Structures are given as C-alpha cells and as structure tokens.
Amino acid sequence: MVWTIKLFVEVKKGSLAPWNPINKLITSGPYAYVRNPMLLGVFLVLLAEAILFQSVALLAYLVIFIGINAVYFPLSEEKGLLKRYGQAYADYKNNVPRFIPRLTPYKKK
C-alpha cells in the first residue's frame, strides 16, 4: 500500500482522494502487474487473518467483500477511469488483470 501511495504522490502529483485525483494513468510499480494492487492487498490481509484466527466469519466477510468489489469495479470505477484516461486505460484494462497479478510487467505499446 505504501508503494502505491508513493506512486500517486511522487510520480503523478495526486492522491487516492476523489477530490484530488491523479491526472495521468499509473501503469508502473505494482500497477504493471495488477489493476487494483491495494485491494488485492486487503484481500490477502483478510485471508491471512481468517487463517491465523481460524475464523469462518472472517472468511465469509472476505468472500462477500470480494463479491462486492467484483461488481463495483466493472460497473462504476472502471467506467470513470475509461472516461478520464480514454484509450490508454482501455489498453491497460485489456492487458492487466483486475485482481490476479500477471507474471510479467505490463509495458505500454
């Protein structure tokens, strides 16, 4: 998460906050492997907690949380990103998975 925030602030002069969005699509760092690295991190933390505490409730929460995000991102956030970044985001979206990282980094054409 620190790596992604650092990219937002230093490389693109913006933040995660909707009132201070970045003005250029980030496709480097962890974003070269997966479109939502911070959310993937949250998924992994929840999974680790469910395993560590042997909690069916945390595992259920993880499944529900993944389900909500699997619906929210394509229906809302990705549409906004397409409007903001146009073809650059369309190309990125077609080459970089939403939640499961690719094995090799994405490179702009």
Side-chain angles (χ1 to χ4, degrees):
M1 185 169 174
V2 172
W3 189 8
T4 58
I5 292 171
K6 184 177 177 182
L7 283 171
F8 271 66
V9 174
E10 291 178 0
V11 176
K12 303 301 179 195
K13 306 296 183 210
S15 75
L16 304 172
W19 57 86
N20 185 27
I22 58 171
N23 58 7
K24 191 172 180 186
L25 180 64
I26 295 176
T27 60
S28 60
Y31 292 95
Y33 296 90
V34 64
R35 291 196 319 255
N36 295 292
M38 284 190 281
L39 198 52
L40 176 59
V42 172
F43 294 164
L44 294 174
V45 167
L46 286 172
L47 178 60
E49 289 175 339
I51 292 168
L52 179 67
F53 298 115
Q54 299 178 356
S55 172
V56 175
L58 278 174
L59 190 59
Y61 176 66
L62 170 62
V63 170
I64 292 167
F65 187 67
I66 289 172
I68 289 169
N69 282 286
V71 171
Y72 168 75
F73 274 90
L75 294 179
S76 181
E77 183 159 307
E78 289 179 358
K79 287 181 181 182
L81 293 170
L82 275 170
K83 284 181 185 176
R84 185 181 305 155
Y85 303 117
Q87 190 60 44
Y89 183 74
D91 293 342
Y92 176 69
K93 180 181 166 190
N94 289 332
N95 288 285
V96 179
R98 185 178 295 126
F99 299 125
I100 300 171
R102 28 180 302 145
L103 297 177
T104 59
Y106 168 73
K107 294 185 174 44
K108 293 181 205 176
K109 297 175 186 176

